[in-house]
Amino acid sequence: MARLLYDLCGIDEDLRFSPYCWRVKYALAHKGLEAETRPWHFTDKEAIAFSGQDKVPVLVDGDVTVSDSYEIFRHLDRAYPDKPLLGDGAAEARARFFKFYAERSLAPGMMRSIIMDLHNAIHPRDRDYFRETREKRFGRSLEEFHAPNKGLSMLDQALEPLRGRLDEADFIDGDTPAGADYLLFGNFMWARCVSCADLVSNADPVYSWIERMLDLYGGLGRNALRIVDIEGAYE
Amino acid sequence: MARLLYDLCGIDEDLRFSPYCWRVKYALAHKGLEAETRPWHFTDKEAIAFSGQDKVPVLVDGDVTVSDSYEIFRHLDRAYPDKPLLGDGAAEARARFFKFYAERSLAPGMMRSIIMDLHNAIHPRDRDYFRETREKRFGRSLEEFHAPNKGLSMLDQALEPLRGRLDEADFIDGDTPAGADYLLFGNFMWARCVSCADLVSNADPVYSWIERMLDLYGGLGRNALRIVDIEGAYE
C-alpha cells in the first residue's frame, strides 16, 4: 500500500525541519511503517489542497488522507493497533497534555532562540510568507522577537518537569519510547535541523534523552540533514 | 478497617493546606474510601517516626503504612484496583510527569506569590522550623523570596499547557477526573487554604476546572476551612 508524507523542506530539499512532521516520522518508525516523504514548501498550498487544509504534515495512507500530527497519531493507532502511540483512556487523555506542553511550554523559548536561524534555513521563495505570518503571530518583527538569552532562560524553566521525569526513566513513556516522547522530540529535531545553538547542556538529563532519541530507528534523527551540513548555508 | 491519614495543619487544627495531603484526600474520595485525618504539625516528627521518615502525608491503611503522596496513589491502585488513579503502562508513565509539572512548574510561581500568607497560616510553634527550612531551600529570606508579581507571571507561563488541555476537556484525565487531576489540584488547594490571592483569572479555562474540582465529592475542596474563614488570622 502506498504511503506518502508531505514533509516541509527548507533551503535544500533534504533539509526537513518541521516539528510536526518529525513527530509523524518517528510515529511511523515506531509502528514499523514505511512511507515516502515528499518535500513541500510553505507556499505549495495547491499541492496539499486535496487534504482540505493548507499545512503539513499530510499523510496519505492508502485511500485515507489525514492532516495534523496528533490526528495522524490517532489514525495510526486505529489503523495499526500494535505498539500504541497514544493508547486509550487515561493514557490518551494524558498524551494530549504533552502536545500542549511541546507547543506552549517548549516551543516559545526555542523559537526566541533560533528564529533567525530558522529564517535562514527556509527556502528563499518561502521567506516572505514565513516573515509575514510569523510577524503577525508574534506582533513584532522577527529581529525584535529574536532574543536568544531570554529564549534559553524560558526554555530552561520549561524543561523542569521533563528533567524530573528523565532523571528516573530512559523515556517519558517508560523503558521504551512512545507517543509522549515523539510529541516532544519533534521540537528538538526542529531546532537541531536549522541551528547549531546548544539549547540543553550536556549535564542535563534531557540531553541524554535527546541522544537516545537521535539513535532510535537506525539513527532516524541523527542522520537527518542539518543546516550546518550544507556548505555556505549557515550564516 | 481503620484508615488514618496524618494531615498537616496550621494556625487552626482544621486548617489543612498541604498540597501533598490534598492529593491524597482527593485520591481517597475518588476510590470511595473513608479515612480519619489526624492533624499534624511540621515539628511533630515523633508522631510519624513509625513511618520511617518525617513528612506527611502518611497513610496508615490497616496494617500497611505508606508515605509520599505518589506512593500512596500507587498503594491505593494496588489495594483497590477499581477506578484507577494512575493506571498502568503509558498511563502510569505519563501520570508521573504531572507530579513533576505540579512541583516544578506550578509550585514555584505560586510559592513566590503566597509565601508570606503561607508563613502566616502556619502554627506559631512551627514557624521557626518553616522559616529555617525554606530559607535554606530558597537561599534567601522569606521576605526576599516574596515577589507576588513575579510569581504570578511565572504561574501564568506555567499554566499554558494546562489551558490547552482544559479548553477541550472538563478534566485533564478526560470526562471524569483521575490521578493527573489530583496531582495538580493539590497545589491549588494549598494556595486556596492559606491565601485569598487570585492566582487565576475567572476567564481562564483553568479557573472553571478549579471550580469543578472544588465541587467534587460533596464539595470536599470547597468546604475546606480557609485562613480567611478564621477571624483575625488573615493579616
Side-chain angles (χ1 to χ4, degrees):
Chain A
M1 187 171 64
R3 202 174 287 115
L4 175 64
L5 176 69
Y6 287 84
D7 190 13
L8 183 66
C9 70
I11 198 163
D12 185 298
E13 280 213 340
D14 292 328
L15 183 70
R16 311 289 179 91
F17 56 88
S18 158
Y20 309 110
C21 293
W22 274 111
R23 288 177 174 176
V24 174
K25 285 179 277 188
Y26 270 81
L28 288 164
H30 176 93
K31 295 280 191 184
L33 299 172
E34 301 280 339
E36 178 196 341
T37 63
R38 181 167 299 174
W40 178 89
H41 299 89
F42 278 117
T43 47
D44 293 343
K45 301 298 188 192
E46 287 284 317
I48 57 168
F50 72 93
S51 72
Q53 54 84 60
D54 67 354
K55 292 189 175 62
V56 292
V58 171
L59 179 70
V60 182
D61 189 8
D63 52 7
V64 177
T65 294
V66 195
S67 57
D68 180 274
S69 60
Y70 201 90
E71 290 307 318
I72 293 172
F73 278 42
R74 285 183 163 142
H75 160 75
L76 294 174
D77 269 353
R78 272 193 306 264
Y80 313 96
D82 200 30
K83 299 187 188 165
L85 293 160
L86 303 172
D88 302 315
E92 202 282 327
R94 291 169 192 165
R96 192 77 185 155
F97 185 82
F98 288 89
K99 167 196 151 66
F100 294 112
Y101 175 70
E103 296 169 12
R104 300 187 181 201
S105 291
L106 300 182
M110 288 183 170
M111 187 65 102
R112 297 201 76 150
S113 301
I114 64 164
I115 185 74
M116 296 316 298
D117 289 343
L118 182 57
H119 180 260
N120 177 57
I122 281 168
H123 195 282
R125 77 169 195 247
D126 278 353
R127 285 187 190 160
D128 286 351
Y129 169 86
F130 178 80
R131 178 178 287 276
E132 192 182 324
T133 52
R134 271 51 181 180
E135 292 189 344
K136 189 171 171 195
R137 185 189 302 169
F138 305 146
R140 69 194 91 173
S141 74
L142 300 185
E143 289 75 7
E144 285 166 332
F145 184 75
H146 177 65
N149 286 345
K150 182 172 170 56
L152 286 175
S153 156
M154 289 166 67
L155 180 62
D156 184 54
Q157 191 63 40
L159 288 175
E160 266 303 307
L162 192 56
R163 288 187 183 114
R165 176 59 184 150
L166 294 173
D167 246 342
E168 65 177 23
D170 277 354
F171 297 99
I172 300 163
D173 278 339
D175 294 335
T176 56
D181 292 277
Y182 309 136
L183 287 170
L184 268 52
F185 191 62
N187 290 61
F188 291 92
M189 283 304 299
W190 171 57
R192 175 181 166 91
C193 289
V194 302
S195 174
C196 66
D198 288 324
L199 298 181
V200 179
S201 108
N202 61 11
D204 194 313
V206 175
Y207 184 92
S208 314
W209 169 77
I210 291 172
E211 292 293 305
R212 286 189 289 277
M213 293 296 290
L214 287 169
D215 286 334
L216 291 174
Y217 313 123
L220 176 63
R222 196 177 295 285
N223 298 330
L225 186 73
R226 303 179 67 189
I227 185 91
V228 291
D229 301 323
I230 304 171
E231 204 173 335
Y234 192 67
E235 289 165 2
Chain B
M1 186 172 64
R3 202 175 288 115
L4 174 65
L5 176 69
Y6 287 85
D7 190 15
L8 182 67
C9 71
I11 198 163
D12 185 298
E13 281 213 339
D14 292 328
L15 184 69
R16 311 289 180 90
F17 57 88
S18 158
Y20 309 110
C21 293
W22 274 110
R23 288 177 174 175
V24 173
K25 286 179 275 187
Y26 270 81
L28 289 162
H30 176 92
K31 295 281 191 184
L33 300 171
E34 301 279 340
E36 178 196 341
T37 64
R38 181 166 300 173
W40 179 87
H41 299 89
F42 279 117
T43 49
D44 293 344
K45 302 296 188 192
E46 288 285 318
I48 57 168
F50 71 94
S51 72
Q53 54 84 60
D54 67 355
K55 293 189 175 62
V56 291
V58 170
L59 179 70
V60 182
D61 189 9
D63 52 8
V64 177
T65 296
V66 195
S67 58
D68 180 90
S69 59
Y70 200 91
E71 291 306 318
I72 293 173
F73 277 42
R74 285 182 163 144
H75 161 75
L76 294 174
D77 270 352
R78 272 192 306 263
Y80 313 96
D82 201 29
K83 297 188 190 165
L85 292 161
L86 303 172
D88 302 315
E92 202 281 328
R94 291 169 193 166
R96 192 76 186 157
F97 186 82
F98 288 88
K99 166 196 153 65
F100 295 111
Y101 175 70
E103 296 169 14
R104 300 187 179 200
S105 291
L106 300 182
M110 288 183 170
M111 186 66 101
R112 297 201 77 147
S113 302
I114 64 165
I115 185 74
M116 296 316 298
D117 288 344
L118 181 57
H119 180 259
N120 177 58
I122 282 168
H123 195 282
R125 77 170 194 246
D126 277 353
R127 285 187 191 161
D128 287 349
Y129 169 88
F130 178 82
R131 179 178 287 276
E132 193 182 322
T133 52
R134 271 52 182 178
E135 292 190 344
K136 189 171 170 195
R137 185 189 303 168
F138 306 146
R140 69 195 91 174
S141 74
L142 300 185
E143 289 75 7
E144 286 165 330
F145 184 75
H146 176 66
N149 285 346
K150 182 173 171 56
L152 286 175
S153 154
M154 289 165 67
L155 180 62
D156 184 53
Q157 191 64 39
L159 288 175
E160 266 304 307
L162 193 55
R163 288 188 182 114
R165 176 59 183 150
L166 295 172
D167 246 342
E168 63 177 24
D170 277 356
F171 297 98
I172 300 162
D173 279 338
D175 294 336
T176 56
D181 293 276
Y182 309 136
L183 288 170
L184 268 52
F185 192 62
N187 290 62
F188 292 92
M189 283 304 299
W190 171 57
R192 175 181 165 90
C193 288
V194 302
S195 174
C196 66
D198 289 324
L199 298 181
V200 180
S201 109
N202 61 10
D204 194 314
V206 176
Y207 184 93
S208 313
W209 169 77
I210 291 171
E211 291 293 305
R212 286 189 290 276
M213 294 296 291
L214 287 169
D215 285 335
L216 291 173
Y217 313 123
L220 176 63
R222 195 177 296 285
N223 297 331
L225 187 73
R226 304 178 65 189
I227 185 90
V228 292
D229 301 324
I230 304 171
E231 205 172 335
Y234 192 67
E235 289 166 1

